[in-house]
Amino acid sequence: MAAVALVQGASRGLGLEFCKQILLNKSPACVIATCRNPENAVELLNLAAQHPGKVTVLKLDVNREDDISSAAEKVKRSFGTLDLIINSSAMLHPSGKGETSLRDVSAQGVISTLTTNTVGPLVVAKYFAPLLQKGAGLFGQQPPEKAKQHSGIIVNMTAKVGSIGDNALGGWYSYRMSKAALNMATRNLSIELGRSRLRVVCVSMHPGTVDTELSRPYHRNMPKERLFSTQHSVHCLLGIIDTLNIDKTGKAYNWDGSELPW
């Protein structure tokens, strides 16, 4: 039986790397790769061509509920089930820079960031959770007790700056708020999707500071040893996913496997 993983935000950065490493390390596996503009996703389309029959590329703009609903219907018809969802797409701010003070805050900037980083992943869960509940639990660890088994996993990509308890510097209002709210969504999902017989593990994960477009404006003062490649970060995160079970649901994890305070 082939594992089926859906990566939301798969055209670049962490999302694209998740697709690559799942195909390489989780055999047999099928990857459903979604992004806003598939026709412009050259690297993703090349990856699909290199793995015929194993990669399905779908249009999904996380800001449009009708896109999410339509993609879920297509996955239901073609696969009927899912084992893993990774909500990967995110934005720092519409301007590309986090707000350094209150005077930089705008209502539209906050709304846009929350829509992409928080509302989008939650609506993805709404439409795709029924397919996870039909999954075979082919990602993570299945304990011997049948009562504790899970059918699927949702991973929401969070950030350490979204931790309220860890925030000592302030700033970045929109991004911090969006990730803190995403963590609350993860917690809520873990409770609701953990009640039924076919339970879904729901976690948030912090990938570290990764060399992607989102964080690139802030690399100047970052020590090299703390700046990760997408390959290293995703390798670490998939290692954590391999250890997940229903007892670990509803939590946030750092790239090194340590628990991140809310």
Side-chain angles (χ1 to χ4, degrees), residues 6-239:
L6 184 142
V7 180
Q8 181 267 114
S11 62
R12 60 185 181 178
L14 289 171
L16 181 62
E17 187 61 29
F18 267 114
C19 294
K20 292 177 180 179
Q21 292 199 30
I22 289 170
L23 289 166
L24 182 65
N25 300 318
K26 192 70 175 181
S27 183
C30 295
V31 172
I32 302 160
T34 77
C35 60
R36 183 166 40 188
N37 297 305
E39 63 277 7
N40 298 328
V42 176
E43 277 196 79
L44 181 57
L45 293 175
N46 287 340
L47 183 67
Q50 293 165 17
H51 298 272
K54 291 187 175 182
V55 180
T56 301
V57 180
L58 293 180
K59 174 179 172 53
L60 191 160
D61 183 342
V62 77
N63 295 325
R64 296 175 57 88
E65 187 166 356
D66 55 346
D67 264 20
I68 299 171
S69 173
S70 175
E73 280 300 315
K74 290 175 182 175
V75 173
K76 181 179 178 180
R77 289 196 300 268
S78 298
F79 296 89
T81 183
L82 281 174
D83 297 292
L84 173 68
I85 291 176
I86 296 174
N87 279 308
S88 181
S89 67
M91 65 187 299
L92 181 60
H93 186 270
S95 68
K97 296 180 180 179
E99 308 98 327
T100 56
S101 70
L102 190 57
R103 64 177 172 269
D104 299 323
V105 172
S106 69
Q108 192 53 54
V110 174
I111 291 167
S112 296
T113 307
L114 282 165
T115 300
T116 297
N117 295 357
T118 309
V119 179
L122 180 60
V123 178
V124 166
K126 170 185 173 180
Y127 286 99
F128 285 98
L131 298 178
L132 285 171
Q133 290 173 319
K134 296 178 182 178
L138 298 179
F139 287 86
Q141 287 184 344
Q142 293 290 7
E145 317 96 284
K146 191 171 183 179
K148 286 195 171 186
Q149 291 184 344
H150 65 268
S151 60
I153 295 172
I154 294 176
V155 173
N156 290 325
M157 299 306 301
T158 190
K160 192 175 182 181
V161 295
S163 168
I164 295 173
D166 189 67
N167 182 7
L169 297 175
W172 287 27
Y173 282 88
S174 299
Y175 190 67
R176 285 185 187 274
M177 289 167 61
S178 72
K179 293 302 186 178
L182 180 63
N183 290 341
M184 179 59 80
T186 298
R187 184 70 170 178
N188 263 22
L189 288 167
S190 73
I191 295 168
E192 180 167 353
L193 299 179
R195 288 175 178 152
S196 66
R197 182 177 59 85
L198 303 171
R199 294 182 292 181
V200 177
V201 175
C202 305
V203 297
S204 292
M205 287 190 179
H206 168 53
T209 303
V210 185
D211 187 8
T212 63
E213 287 184 29
L214 186 149
S215 64
R216 202 155 287 144
Y218 301 93
H219 289 177
R220 184 179 302 171
N221 299 319
M222 178 64 62
K224 287 185 178 180
E225 65 273 12
R226 291 179 56 193
L227 181 62
F228 297 159
S229 67
T230 55
Q231 293 89 343
H232 176 72
S233 177
V234 169
H235 174 76
C236 293
L237 296 175
L238 284 173

